[in-house]
Amino acid sequence: MTDAEWVLLLSRGQFALTMGMHITLAALTLGLAPFLVWFEARWLWGGRDAARQALHFWIKIFALTVAVGAVTGVVMEFQFGTNWAPFSKKTGGFIGPLLFFEVLVAFFMESALTGVMLFGMGKIRPRVHFVVTCLVAFGALVSAFWILAANSWMQTPVNYLRNGSGAFMPADWLAFISAPSFPWRFGHMVLASYIAAAVMIAGIAAWRLLHRPDESAARCMLVCAIWFAAVALPVQFVTGDQHGENTLRYQPAKLAAMEAAWRPPSAGEGEPLRIFAIPDQRAQLNHFELAIPDIGSLYLRHNLTGHIKSLSEFPAAELPPVLPVFFAFRMMVGLGLLMFAAQIIAVVQHLRGRLFTCRRLLWTMTILTPAGFIALLAGWVVSEMGRQPWLVQGLVRTAEGVSALPLKWLIISCCSVAAVYAAVFSYGMRHFLRYVAAPLPSGEVVSTKISTVPGGRSSWKD
């Protein structure tokens, strides 16, 4: 490999590392926020002390995640100016305003209000505190809105103009959110974050019940999480199906890579469901393929004979790396089905009154704790690697957007980033595991519901 090829590879690897870490934290804050709203509502208006304990348990994790996530976001976005300066120069007219809006919301709304939410408990009026919690959840949603609008335009660019130097500019202000993949990408990502958080809450609650069977807060967490996930996962399957339809129309090479479909099926046959295969990009075939005939057409074209474009119909230089996309897609779908099965069983057991005593199920939920985030990251791999070799689909190649950095500097940068991230995240994970395993604190002076004092003003009832 030449120095330029190494620079491209290392720049992509460094961005993938920082983005992977950041997207996990961002998804955690986005997914936890509505649960904080629910726990606080159940506490204030339902008088549920278990909900109060659950709120206090998760609010600290949420605040820490917002703080660390904001820092990782800065590291990630700085690379647009260091490692990807040509890309920023070409697309700054589109990407710049969207990133500005995202940072503005993340720092000045979400982060600031998180501090009020964390330290204002018992110091501000209960209803005001609840409004702050709702605003934090809304801020996380708005932050995701802008960053996914930017990514969607890179995936399916529309409504753009180019100036004399070739830079992209929006044709009108609606161009920022008019990318055809944006509605489905936004819905799919938001639901993925909510589901990942729900499965994590359920897993941690299950672990706590295995060790403290009578803990009421853990029971409250588990019931809330399993019901939410059981409802959200079928909605996610529908959203994912529609997102796939959009990909079929606008990014057919990505869909072909997801299916490792090298050549079209014979006349009269549908697309097979490839359960397992080892794609060989050089030979353009699959080794050890295990497939069910025609079933692939059922979820790809909603019939048994429909076809998609095969990889052989695209120039070899415009094909994404098939093997990682193929396996990441199957990991995402497989974990989604596994989580759905576990949540349905848990809901049935809850209706039968056996949820808290079924140790085998509780262990299963514990093992599945990280499954939602693994599936989310697998989906991110499908989305981002599936559009290679393009940064902006069909317009800007990845190799055209990388900065011409000295290779030695980039090696030092990559090693430094990897070392710092490994140290910080391993240290943070150790303390996170200690925190979720520790007994709940007792003796806190907090309210269990809203009471009214003379004059009609709400107050915390201790």
Side-chain angles (χ1 to χ4, degrees):
M1 293 177 64
T2 64
D3 283 5
E5 290 173 328
W6 275 110
V7 167
L8 175 60
L9 180 63
L10 291 175
S11 293
R12 290 180 62 190
Q14 180 175 300
F15 190 84
L17 173 63
T18 54
M19 186 62 185
M21 294 294 187
H22 176 67
I23 199 174
T24 303
L25 294 170
L28 179 55
T29 58
L30 177 61
L32 271 181
F35 287 97
L36 298 182
V37 173
W38 173 252
F39 289 143
E40 187 163 5
R42 292 288 289 156
W43 166 29
L44 295 179
W45 285 278
R48 293 285 302 276
D49 187 65
R52 185 266 305 175
Q53 291 180 313
L55 173 66
H56 280 261
F57 180 83
W58 287 107
I59 200 171
K60 297 174 183 177
I61 295 175
F62 179 87
L64 181 60
T65 305
V66 168
V68 179
V71 175
T72 58
V74 171
V75 175
M76 183 268 295
E77 291 184 1
F78 258 112
Q79 292 173 89
F80 288 119
T82 55
N83 297 66
W84 303 97
F87 164 74
S88 300
K89 183 178 180 179
K90 289 183 178 181
T91 64
F94 254 101
I95 304 301
L98 294 172
L99 292 181
F100 170 77
F101 295 146
E102 190 271 336
V103 170
L104 187 68
V105 171
F107 280 96
F108 292 95
M109 181 178 177
E110 187 181 355
S111 298
L113 290 177
T114 296
V116 177
M117 181 180 68
L118 179 63
F119 298 108
M121 187 76 70
K123 298 180 177 63
I124 60 177
R125 296 179 184 180
R127 297 181 193 276
V128 174
H129 189 277
F130 179 73
V131 170
V132 169
T133 305
C134 293
L135 287 174
V136 168
F138 178 70
L141 196 63
V142 173
S143 181
F145 178 92
W146 292 119
I147 199 69
L148 289 169
N151 183 265
S152 297
W153 183 81
M154 293 165 62
Q155 300 270 357
T156 52
V158 293
N159 289 350
Y160 60 86
L161 304 172
R162 303 190 77 166
N163 61 20
S165 61
F168 295 90
M169 303 295 292
D172 54 65
W173 68 274
L174 283 175
F176 289 115
I177 56 174
S178 62
S181 66
F182 173 60
W184 303 117
R185 192 179 310 280
F186 179 69
H188 198 56
M189 182 64 187
V190 170
L191 280 171
S193 301
Y194 289 168
I195 291 166
V199 173
M200 181 191 70
I201 291 171
I204 290 174
W207 189 91
R208 296 183 69 87
L209 287 173
L210 285 167
H211 295 81
R212 303 176 185 89
D214 297 325
E215 188 175 87
S216 59
R219 294 189 173 199
C220 176
M221 295 178 204
L222 182 58
V223 171
C224 173
I226 63 171
W227 275 100
F228 180 89
V231 173
L233 276 161
V235 179
Q236 179 71 314
F237 294 153
V238 175
T239 305
D241 176 73
Q242 292 303 305
H243 194 12
E245 289 288 315
N246 184 271
T247 304
L248 173 65
R249 180 176 179 182
Y250 293 98
Q251 296 177 294
K254 178 191 289 189
L255 189 65
M258 290 159 58
E259 295 299 318
W262 294 105
R263 290 168 185 80
S266 302
E269 295 181 357
E271 295 286 346
L273 167 59
R274 296 175 181 86
I275 300 173
F276 178 83
I278 300 180
D280 185 337
Q281 195 141 356
R282 284 189 177 182
Q284 294 199 350
L285 54 83
N286 296 325
H287 300 289
F288 308 108
E289 182 175 296
L290 176 63
I292 303 175
D294 302 332
I295 300 299
S297 293
L298 195 60
Y299 62 85
L300 291 169
R301 303 308 308 269
H302 301 158
N303 56 54
L304 291 174
T305 57
H307 292 176
I308 62 173
K309 278 191 174 183
S310 62
L311 291 164
S312 61
E313 298 177 57
F314 301 94
E318 296 183 7
L319 293 181
V322 178
L323 189 144
V325 174
F326 176 81
F327 278 108
F329 178 69
R330 272 140 190 80
M331 180 179 293
M332 177 185 69
V333 174
L335 286 174
L337 293 173
L338 188 61
M339 289 186 290
F340 180 61
Q343 306 312 311
I344 292 299
I345 294 172
V347 166
V348 171
Q349 291 293 79
H350 178 241
L351 294 175
R352 292 179 175 178
R354 303 173 185 172
L355 175 62
F356 307 128
T357 57
C358 184
R359 294 184 63 84
R360 186 174 297 177
L361 177 59
L362 293 177
W363 274 117
T364 300
M365 303 292 287
T366 301
I367 294 170
L368 288 176
T369 299
F373 291 101
I374 296 173
L376 186 147
L377 288 173
W380 174 68
V381 169
V382 172
S383 180
E384 300 307 306
M385 294 194 75
R387 69 180 157 109
Q388 294 303 314
W390 305 101
L391 275 176
V392 180
Q393 184 73 39
L395 299 172
V396 181
R397 286 181 174 269
T398 306
E400 298 171 354
V402 69
S403 301
L405 298 173
L407 181 58
K408 291 182 180 180
W409 292 6
L410 196 52
I411 292 174
I412 294 172
S413 172
C414 287
C415 292
S416 300
V417 168
V420 170
Y421 272 59
V424 171
F425 276 83
S426 60
Y427 181 79
M429 182 57 67
R430 185 179 68 175
H431 282 272
F432 172 78
L433 293 175
R434 286 182 178 179
Y435 177 81
V436 299
L440 293 174
S442 59
E444 287 187 272
V445 181
V446 290
S447 78
T448 57
K449 61 181 179 179
I450 291 179
S451 64
T452 303
V453 297
R457 294 174 57 188
S458 299
S459 67
W460 298 96
K461 182 178 179 182
D462 298 331

